[in-house]
């Protein structure tokens, strides 16, 4: 994979990239770490360390992003992710595939709702560019290997021209002495063309959680594209109030009754890795995908959706592949959340909804 990044030049980046994005050259490595060069890697899987460039965050709940530009002359297929982080340092990490990065600096503050800091700011991806989440990690989750023959396509003939790593630093006490961090992800990839192209669909909500209450945050979207997707993994994410997160495929039977097929259900405070789906039956046009987070508040205040540990999040990630063609154009499915949106609202098109108590582990 010829991403523009030189692992041996991190210190140089910090000097040069103070004014502009530096093309960071990736050399091609085999799985055992030896540098074979591009001409000998056609059938090899390489490993690329996409890491934070020795950052020293100063502000609690800071979201930092760093980009790499993908060689536009070659197609690459990401087939696995090996995290290089611990939950003591990084609250969570996201890997974005972008048409353009949200900033031209080596690092920038990419918290969508974060407070002003000394860092340059911007979204992970450019405001009008392609944006999708390729991977997510939290709570000491282990590595993820995609199914055989499945990969995320980036570079040539792909909308993903840049990769952007986002790391959320919830606590920064350990950096007060000037210590630095290189949290990130080792990307496992191949240049061998793959026909099963992977995609990730993120379901989530906005909304609020009342004080001292149990609240159900729900989202659902209809699949309107004429594509067949094969789900294979899911991941849940909340902050401290989450008790369980569940995801479903919703399909109407011959009698017009909607059947809710469980894709996955987890306690979000366990390692937030990607788990095998409970049912890998295809999802087709006309089906709905739906997610619910059960939140239990012991706080004497309202909790809002937001980026900090004092806020909450309700996320269900569904990873899938297509046998032919491109993954879904739809990358995100979000609702307004409570108190404005619930599955049983009359305009959602949903019925035969599982009991709320069924979402409790």
């Amino acid at each position: 994979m010829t991403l523009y990044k030189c692992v041996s030049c991190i210190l140089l980046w910090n000097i040069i990239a103070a004014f502009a994005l530096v093309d960071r050259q990736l050399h091609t490595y085999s799985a055992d770490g030896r540098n074979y060069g591009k001409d000998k890697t056609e059938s090899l899987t390489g490993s690329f360390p996409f890491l934070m460039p020795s950052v020293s965050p100063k502000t609690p709940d800071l979201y930092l992003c760093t980009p790499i530009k993908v060689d536009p002359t070659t197609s690459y297929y990401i087939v696995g992710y090996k995290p290089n982080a611990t939950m003591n340092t990084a609250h969570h990490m996201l890997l974005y595939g972008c048409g353009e990065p949200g900033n031209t600096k080596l690092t920038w503050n990419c918290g969508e709702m974060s407070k002003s800091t000394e860092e340059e700011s911007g979204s992970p991806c450019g405001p009008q560019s392609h944006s999708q989440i390729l991977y997510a990690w939290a709570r000491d989750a282990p590595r993820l290997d995609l199914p055989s023959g499945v990969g995320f396509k980036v570079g040539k003939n792909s909308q993903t021209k840049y990769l952007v790593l986002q790391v959320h630093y919830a606590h920064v006490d350990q950096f007060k002495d000037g210590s630095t961090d290189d949290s990130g992800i080792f990307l496992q990839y191949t240049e061998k063309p793959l026909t099963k192209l992977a995609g990730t669909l993120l379901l989530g909500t906005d909304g609020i959680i009342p004080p001292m209450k149990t609240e159900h945050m729900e989202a659902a979207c209809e699949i309107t594209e004429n594509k067949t997707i094969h789900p294979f993994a899911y991941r849940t994410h909340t902050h401290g109030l989450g008790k369980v997160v569940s995801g479903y495929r919703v399909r109407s039977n011959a009698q017009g009754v909607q059947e809710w097929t469980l894709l996955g259900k987890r306690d979000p405070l366990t390692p937030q890795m990607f788990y095998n789906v409970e049912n890998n039956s295809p999802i087709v046009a006309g089906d709905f995908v739906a997610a619910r987070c059960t939140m239990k508040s012991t706080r004497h205040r309202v909790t809002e959706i937001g980026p900090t540990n004092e806020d909450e999040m309700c996320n269900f990630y569904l990873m899938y592949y297509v046998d032919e063609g491109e993954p879904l154009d739809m990358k995100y499915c979000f609702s307004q959340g409570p108190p404005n949106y619930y599955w049983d609202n009359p305009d959602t098109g949903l019925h035969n909804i599982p009991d709320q108590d069924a979402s409790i582990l």
Side-chain angles (χ1 to χ4, degrees), residues 229-234 247-251 259-265 275-283 287 289 316 318-320:
I229 68 172
H230 301 267
F232 63 86
Y234 74 97
Y248 298 85
R249 183 201 71 185
V250 186
R251 176 178 294 174
E259 298 175 343
W260 292 64
T261 299
L262 183 68
L263 295 171
K265 181 167 66 172
Y275 296 88
N276 292 335
V277 293
E278 297 291 333
N279 189 302
N280 61 4
S281 298
I283 300 173
D287 292 343
V289 287
F316 183 90
L318 182 64
M319 201 172 279
Y320 65 88

Side-chain angles (χ1 to χ4, degrees), residues 123-201:
S123 298
C125 298
Q128 304 300 323
S129 79
H130 165 75
S131 171
Q132 66 171 323
I133 293 175
L134 303 181
Y135 176 68
W137 171 95
R139 303 187 69 84
D140 290 341
R143 66 178 292 162
L144 171 68
D145 294 309
L146 274 60
S148 177
V150 176
F152 286 92
K153 185 178 180 180
V154 301
K156 184 180 179 182
N157 299 325
S158 168
Q159 291 182 293
T160 296
K161 307 301 183 185
Y162 288 80
L163 299 177
V164 174
L165 172 67
Q166 181 191 72
V167 179
H168 175 201
Y169 295 97
H171 307 288
V172 296
D173 288 347
Q174 62 187 297
F175 301 109
K176 289 181 178 178
D177 62 357
S179 297
T180 61
D181 180 59
D182 65 350
S183 294
I185 307 163
F186 284 80
L187 306 177
Q188 314 299 314
Y189 69 91
T190 182
E191 293 182 40
K192 179 181 179 181
L194 300 178
T195 57
K196 295 180 178 180
L197 300 185
T200 301
L201 179 59

Side-chain angles (χ1 to χ4, degrees), residues 27-53:
H27 295 289
T28 309
Y29 291 83
S30 72
D32 62 8
R34 289 178 291 172
N35 187 348
Y36 287 96
K38 183 177 178 180
D39 59 336
K40 296 184 179 180
T41 61
E42 295 304 320
S43 61
L44 294 176
T45 295
S47 180
F48 171 51
F50 188 11
L51 310 175
M52 276 289 162

Side-chain angles (χ1 to χ4, degrees), residues 305-349:
I305 291 292
T308 76
N309 278 336
E310 297 302 310
D311 304 312
E312 260 303 342
M313 286 185 176
C314 170
N315 293 153
F316 183 90
Y317 297 81
L318 182 64
M319 201 172 279
Y320 65 88
Y321 70 85
V322 291
D323 275 323
E324 57 184 28
E326 297 294 324
L328 293 174
D329 293 328
M330 180 174 67
K331 313 298 183 187
Y332 304 94
C333 169
F334 274 79
S335 78
Q336 291 181 305
N340 297 313
Y341 178 94
Y342 296 97
W343 283 342
D344 59 4
N345 287 2
D347 58 349
T348 64

